[in-house]
Amino acid sequence: MILLDWVQGALLLSGLGFFLVGTVGLLRFPDVYTRVHALTKADNLGLGLIVFGLLIGADSVPVALKLLLIWGLALIASATAGYLVARAARRRGVRPWKARNWEDD
Amino acid sequence: MAEQGKAGWNAPRVRAYGFRLGLLLLLWWILSGSTSDWWFGLPLAAVTAGFSLWLTPPARFMLRPLRFPAFAIFFLWQSLLAGWDVARRTLHPGLPLRPEILHLGLNLPPGAPTWWLMLTISLLPGTLSVRLHDQQILEVHCLDSRLDVAGSVRETEVQIARLYGLQAAFSSGGDRA
Amino acid sequence: MNGLLEGVALGLLVTLALGLVRIWRGPTVADRMLAAQLFGTTGVALLLVLAELQRMPALRDVALVLALLAVMAVLAFVARVWRGDPDEERGGDGAPAMDDDEGFEDPR
């Protein structure tokens, strides 16, 4: 039981860590496209880790499945949203940011 | 659409009905929790499945539920890598990014398989679906052009083809635009 | 365990607050919309943690609805506010399917 508590704690805290990373990426990354990357990937992994952490404490099978369903929906939702935002930006002609020291290309 | 809805009960329709009914019953069980009122949920799911068949006729490509676990494992591992990759780049003081837009030819048939591919790609390490031209050429924004983006997109294609039982088309080598 | 859950909830609130900076700075409307997407995902996580912490299972249903609504917000934004060239909008490339339980099949 103690071991499970530790695993749960580690999952929840690393989930929180990825949420923080996603927000830092949203603030630090240079353009819309890279920010979509940071947000979708980091936040979805963060939510996934928190969901798996809470799964350990779930008291019934439907509750556990509901947690997984919520994660799945959030995954589809944010992948779709990220794609739509990136596509709209591309159609508007927002230029992707390029690294300045471009040696090999 | 309406004429298609009135078509007889052939094998694909029965299979699609069973599949959707199963999903709806699972959804009902999840949403209503321990107090499942099946006297209400069962007829509701049966009617809804029929209605959905009328609105959206069965597709050409059927998902193979038994292949889902393998895909889930691939997906979970890749999301871990993706989160780790993006975290490393975010927290690195030098912000190691080398973004580029690539155009990749797709081998999957248009429709649901291609949609799943585009959604999955956005959650893989360093790739993001931006646009789809003529259901054939996918524009991918990648965080680092030094990564093997084409390779990972192709691997995802193979995974999704397996999910739909389409891997025969993938036995030949890569002919990528 | 409750202390840890409280800490995680608090941390999630901090990430929400930090996301506000991106709304403040922009520069494009799409950047601000991304912050809204952040609110969606983080809000879902926060509600799930609170459901466990406060023993309120109903909050999980709220989280589920929020997950669905967050994408609706972005969809409405892209379709109405920030659409690109209207001619191209009629073009052939389709957006991914959004339905939840029927999403496995191809509407021909």
Side-chain angles (χ1 to χ4, degrees):
Chain A
M1 252 10 233
I2 303 284
L3 180 71
L4 272 185
D5 280 356
W6 277 97
V7 172
Q8 183 177 31
L11 283 170
L12 290 174
L13 284 178
S14 46
L16 173 63
F18 277 102
F19 270 106
L20 284 170
V21 160
T23 305
V24 171
L26 187 67
L27 298 181
R28 272 195 89 193
F29 277 10
D31 69 349
V32 183
Y33 305 103
T34 47
R35 285 176 200 141
V36 175
H37 278 278
L39 204 58
T40 49
K41 296 177 200 5
D43 277 16
N44 282 327
L45 181 56
L47 184 58
L49 290 170
I50 285 183
V51 159
F52 278 101
L54 294 175
L55 272 184
I56 293 178
D59 37 16
S60 69
V61 181
V63 168
L65 288 177
K66 187 186 277 183
L67 286 170
L68 287 175
L69 175 71
I70 290 172
W71 188 42
L73 283 178
L75 282 176
I76 294 175
S78 85
T80 311
Y83 161 69
L84 289 175
V85 168
R87 186 178 68 154
R90 191 89 174 116
R91 284 189 170 169
R92 281 228 150 183
V94 176
R95 290 198 170 275
W97 177 88
K98 286 251 178 198
R100 205 163 290 160
N101 47 348
W102 195 255
E103 301 114 27
D104 51 333
D105 186 17
Chain B
M1 186 84 78
E3 292 93 68
Q4 256 180 314
K6 297 237 161 42
W9 285 89
N10 46 18
R13 282 174 69 81
V14 171
R15 212 170 38 185
Y17 183 84
F19 185 67
R20 293 176 191 197
L21 183 66
L23 276 184
L24 286 169
L25 288 176
L26 183 68
L27 193 64
W28 176 262
W29 185 51
I30 293 172
L31 290 182
S32 56
S34 48
T35 59
S36 293
D37 289 316
W38 289 107
W39 63 268
F40 186 66
L42 201 70
L44 192 70
V47 171
T48 311
F51 196 59
S52 86
L53 215 56
W54 177 62
L55 284 174
T56 316
R60 262 171 306 163
F61 308 106
M62 273 290 281
L63 196 89
R64 310 285 166 95
L66 287 181
R67 303 213 174 141
F68 189 72
F71 182 77
I73 289 168
F74 165 79
F75 180 78
L76 283 177
W77 177 240
Q78 291 292 324
S79 347
L80 261 178
L81 291 181
W84 183 253
D85 176 73
V86 104
R88 192 177 58 78
R89 292 175 201 278
T90 306
L91 301 177
H92 193 285
L95 211 62
L97 297 175
R98 193 172 287 190
E100 201 169 2
I101 291 208
L102 302 174
H103 293 253
L104 301 172
L106 298 184
N107 297 319
L108 285 176
T114 300
W115 290 344
W116 280 117
L117 176 74
M118 292 171 65
L119 289 186
T120 312
I121 281 176
S122 292
L123 297 168
L124 295 188
T127 50
L128 173 71
S129 302
V130 176
R131 260 163 135 181
L132 182 65
H133 300 285
D134 306 325
Q135 299 285 339
Q136 289 276 307
I137 310 283
L138 181 65
E139 232 177 283
V140 179
H141 182 273
C142 63
L143 271 186
D144 192 332
S145 53
R146 287 164 294 189
L147 296 175
D148 180 20
V149 175
S152 67
V153 168
R154 169 152 274 271
E155 196 195 338
T156 314
E157 263 192 319
V158 172
Q159 291 287 342
I160 288 181
R162 251 181 229 150
L163 198 58
Y164 281 94
L166 298 166
Q167 70 267 58
F170 283 82
S171 49
S172 59
D175 47 330
R176 203 159 263 293
Chain C
M1 192 38 80
N2 276 0
L4 180 79
L5 283 170
E6 278 165 18
V8 171
L10 205 64
L12 289 172
L13 272 178
V14 171
T15 65
L16 279 181
L18 285 175
L20 287 173
V21 177
R22 182 45 73 198
I23 298 187
W24 174 266
R25 283 216 219 132
T28 67
V29 199
D31 292 295
R32 302 200 167 96
M33 205 58 217
L34 281 181
Q37 194 191 327
L38 168 87
F39 280 29
T41 322
T42 314
V44 167
L46 189 57
L47 284 167
L48 292 179
V49 171
L50 285 180
E52 185 76 14
L53 186 62
Q54 308 197 323
R55 309 249 163 261
M56 285 177 67
L59 287 180
R60 289 195 194 102
D61 299 313
V62 181
L64 206 146
V65 172
L66 185 65
L68 288 172
L69 282 182
V71 73
M72 289 303 158
V74 178
L75 188 72
F77 161 73
V78 169
R80 297 259 151 197
V81 186
W82 219 57
R83 88 164 72 201
D85 184 7
D87 292 335
E88 202 191 358
E89 206 67 31
R90 307 270 170 275
D93 52 353
M98 305 260 287
D99 37 0
D100 43 12
D101 47 20
E102 302 297 333
F104 295 106
E105 297 177 70
D106 167 26
R108 212 174 310 171

